[in-house]
Amino acid sequence: MHTIYGIALGPGDPELLTLKALRILKEVDLIFYPGSITKDQKKSFVYPILQYHGLEHKELKGFFLNMSYDRQEASETYVATVKDIEKAYQTGKKIAIVCEGDISLYASFSYILAGLQELQLPVSLVPGINSFSLGASQHQIPLSLLNDKIAIVPRVKNITEISKYFLEFDTVILMKIRSGWNDFHSELVQKDWKCYYCERLGTNQEYITTDLTTLANREIPYFSLLIIKQ
Amino acid sequence: MHTIYGIALGPGDPELLTLKALRILKEVDLIFYPGSITKDQKKSFVYPILQYHGLEHKELKGFFLNMSYDRQEASETYVATVKDIEKAYQTGKKIAIVCEGDISLYASFSYILAGLQELQLPVSLVPGINSFSLGASQHQIPLSLLNDKIAIVPRVKNITEISKYFLEFDTVILMKIRSGWNDFHSELVQKDWKCYYCERLGTNQEYITTDLTTLANREIPYFSLLIIKQ
């Protein structure tokens, strides 16, 4: 039987795959990949990356999550996917499960990993470039120097919460900013912090700016983040 | 004239280079790489990665930092290196500067970047896998799920400081743990936190453990980190 690989594909740019990720994906028989369902439309952010590398001719199985806060439904998808993986594993297939960004940071893969660990199946993980590393590279800024401290905070709610982190941290990385954006954007513009906005990094719709006033009427997508420094 | 590339090489494993990093390194004429000097011995952590990919036949220039807290001396090395880069740029050479891990996280490259930006030279950065992402992969754990918050803290001094972060954060990543290790190790063992120790990740001397008692008499190297979860 073969080790089951969890493979991070990085933040969108197919060239930001690691050599290890690509080598293993070429070696496996079957690739499980994630996607989302919005209004009955199935979409996958990672499928184009697999296509780019000519992997779409392999056996591919998508698992799609409804974009809602219904964790029960998501949980059922993960359980079903783990069962599919186990079945394929028992037939002796070489298997990889891929994910966006890094494999340990807010990754849907983590739920599948928990299921595979419960079944005591052999697993090996390959990390990937995370989105805020690409964001810092595109803005050409350091996230940290010497003894700088970094806070990574998803779904921040208001400006008070952000200010609090700066009592202790040098850099604050806000992930999944869409939900609270309208509640803190206007106050954030007033601050004299340095803000580095990133949207759809690594894709051909990538957009970055340091001028938050230009974002006043912008629709903020799910794949957006903000790096802030004092 | 050509864009000057800052290229992250990742946390030690030559296969954890990105496709983009390797493509650009093959295209350039001249590669600047970092190293350290300890007791008059020059060492470079990244040179073996360049060798692995057959890049040692290119024109290579090392810049070596004395392993001390003398920032003045380090600063002089960076200034001299920036001058060398500028000179080579003026001759029309294609240039890359490489660094360990990611290019924006505690990277010596950030000082060189500041120098190049001051000279208004065209720069492009390629991010890399950071060490704690590889650490989480090797331990097969998620760093964050859903709305989890992460604190990244270098050179932590004592257990009180670590405890404080857990009031707000779900995962605490301690970087550069060697300096305070003897001051907090014995108290850390008493806590019922889940600890994931990582040492020399990605190299053939890699060592990881979740049992901190086994580290009681271990010499902790510079390239070590600790991921802690409650």
Side-chain angles (χ1 to χ4, degrees):
Chain A
M1 296 296 197
H2 305 287
T3 290
I4 298 167
Y5 285 97
I7 309 273
L9 298 182
D13 179 348
E15 251 203 309
L16 286 181
L17 222 68
T18 62
L19 303 169
K20 191 167 196 168
L22 187 56
R23 172 180 60 79
I24 293 170
L25 289 175
K26 283 181 176 169
E27 287 170 8
V28 300
D29 306 306
L30 170 57
I31 300 171
F32 286 84
Y33 70 94
S36 62
I37 310 174
T38 319
K39 296 174 195 158
D40 289 333
Q41 288 282 317
K42 284 186 179 182
K43 262 192 191 173
S44 174
F45 184 70
V46 301
Y47 190 82
I49 302 179
L50 299 175
Q51 271 185 315
Y52 178 95
H53 292 294
L55 297 162
E56 81 273 28
H57 305 298
K58 298 235 172 200
E59 191 184 351
L60 298 186
K61 279 194 184 169
F63 55 99
F64 292 84
L65 294 173
N66 262 302
M67 283 287 97
S68 74
Y69 291 97
D70 182 355
R71 300 304 306 162
Q72 177 63 30
E73 206 176 306
S75 171
E76 283 165 15
T77 305
Y78 295 129
V79 168
T81 306
V82 168
K83 266 193 197 146
D84 285 349
I85 295 168
E86 189 193 16
K87 230 185 277 177
Y89 170 80
Q90 299 297 359
T91 66
K93 278 186 181 162
K94 290 187 192 170
I95 301 164
I97 306 118
V98 298
C99 75
E100 300 150 0
D102 182 27
I103 199 153
S104 307
L105 278 154
Y106 309 106
S108 58
F109 173 80
S110 292
Y111 299 98
I112 291 173
L113 174 64
L116 299 175
Q117 286 170 334
E118 216 167 281
L119 295 170
Q120 298 188 301
L121 296 175
V123 183
S124 186
L125 308 193
V126 178
I129 308 285
N130 60 60
S131 55
F132 59 80
S133 284
L134 178 55
S137 281
Q138 297 298 68
H139 277 290
Q140 306 195 1
I141 51 156
L143 287 170
S144 56
L145 294 172
L146 289 174
N147 297 333
D148 285 354
K149 299 173 186 173
I150 303 173
I152 304 171
V153 186
R155 293 202 178 88
V156 76
K157 286 186 189 64
N158 52 55
I159 199 80
T160 320
E161 195 185 341
I162 305 174
S163 299
K164 197 182 57 189
Y165 295 118
F166 277 119
L167 296 176
E168 184 71 33
F169 293 87
D170 303 278
T171 304
V172 176
I173 301 172
L174 302 182
M175 309 288 290
K176 311 181 190 182
I177 60 173
R178 184 170 60 179
S179 58
W181 180 254
N182 292 329
D183 296 322
F184 64 76
H185 170 257
S186 61
E187 287 167 291
L188 197 57
V189 173
Q190 309 296 318
K191 296 273 182 191
D192 59 354
W193 297 331
K194 281 164 267 169
C195 291
Y196 305 92
Y197 174 82
C198 308
E199 173 181 311
R200 296 192 166 99
L201 285 168
T203 73
N204 50 20
Q205 296 168 73
E206 176 171 305
Y207 174 72
I208 69 169
T209 183
T210 55
D211 177 9
L212 295 195
T213 58
T214 62
L215 299 175
N217 298 307
R218 193 175 181 88
E219 176 100 20
I220 304 299
Y222 181 76
F223 286 109
S224 57
L225 66 95
L226 195 62
I227 300 165
I228 316 181
K229 291 166 87 84
Q230 267 184 316
Chain B
M1 295 298 197
H2 305 288
T3 290
I4 299 167
Y5 285 97
I7 308 273
L9 299 182
D13 179 348
E15 251 203 309
L16 287 181
L17 222 66
T18 63
L19 303 169
K20 189 167 197 167
L22 186 56
R23 172 181 59 79
I24 293 170
L25 289 174
K26 283 181 176 169
E27 287 169 9
V28 300
D29 306 306
L30 169 57
I31 300 170
F32 287 84
Y33 69 95
S36 62
I37 310 173
T38 319
K39 295 174 195 158
D40 289 332
Q41 289 281 318
K42 284 186 180 182
K43 264 191 191 174
S44 173
F45 183 69
V46 302
Y47 189 81
I49 301 178
L50 299 175
Q51 271 185 313
Y52 178 94
H53 293 294
L55 297 162
E56 81 274 28
H57 305 298
K58 299 234 171 201
E59 190 183 351
L60 299 185
K61 277 193 186 171
F63 54 99
F64 292 85
L65 294 171
N66 261 303
M67 284 287 96
S68 74
Y69 291 97
D70 183 355
R71 301 302 308 164
Q72 177 63 29
E73 205 176 306
S75 170
E76 284 164 15
T77 305
Y78 295 130
V79 168
T81 306
V82 168
K83 266 193 198 145
D84 285 349
I85 295 168
E86 189 193 15
K87 229 184 278 174
Y89 171 81
Q90 300 296 359
T91 66
K93 279 187 181 163
K94 292 186 190 170
I95 301 164
I97 306 117
V98 298
C99 74
E100 300 150 1
D102 182 25
I103 199 151
S104 307
L105 278 154
Y106 308 107
S108 59
F109 173 79
S110 292
Y111 300 98
I112 289 172
L113 174 63
L116 299 175
Q117 286 171 334
E118 216 165 284
L119 296 170
Q120 298 188 300
L121 296 175
V123 183
S124 186
L125 309 192
V126 179
I129 307 286
N130 60 61
S131 55
F132 58 80
S133 285
L134 179 54
S137 282
Q138 298 298 68
H139 277 290
Q140 306 194 0
I141 51 156
L143 286 170
S144 56
L145 294 172
L146 289 174
N147 297 333
D148 286 354
K149 298 173 186 174
I150 303 173
I152 304 171
V153 186
R155 292 203 178 88
V156 76
K157 287 185 188 66
N158 52 56
I159 199 81
T160 319
E161 195 185 342
I162 306 174
S163 299
K164 196 181 57 187
Y165 296 117
F166 277 119
L167 297 176
E168 185 71 32
F169 292 88
D170 304 278
T171 304
V172 177
I173 301 172
L174 303 181
M175 309 288 290
K176 313 182 190 182
I177 60 174
R178 182 169 62 180
S179 57
W181 180 254
N182 291 329
D183 296 322
F184 64 75
H185 171 257
S186 60
E187 287 166 291
L188 198 56
V189 172
Q190 309 295 318
K191 295 273 182 190
D192 58 354
W193 297 332
K194 281 164 267 171
C195 291
Y196 305 91
Y197 174 81
C198 308
E199 176 181 309
R200 297 192 167 98
L201 285 167
T203 73
N204 51 20
Q205 296 168 72
E206 176 172 304
Y207 173 72
I208 68 170
T209 184
T210 54
D211 177 8
L212 295 194
T213 59
T214 62
L215 300 174
N217 299 307
R218 193 174 181 88
E219 177 100 22
I220 304 298
Y222 181 76
F223 286 108
S224 56
L225 66 94
L226 195 62
I227 300 166
I228 316 181
K229 290 166 89 83
Q230 268 183 315

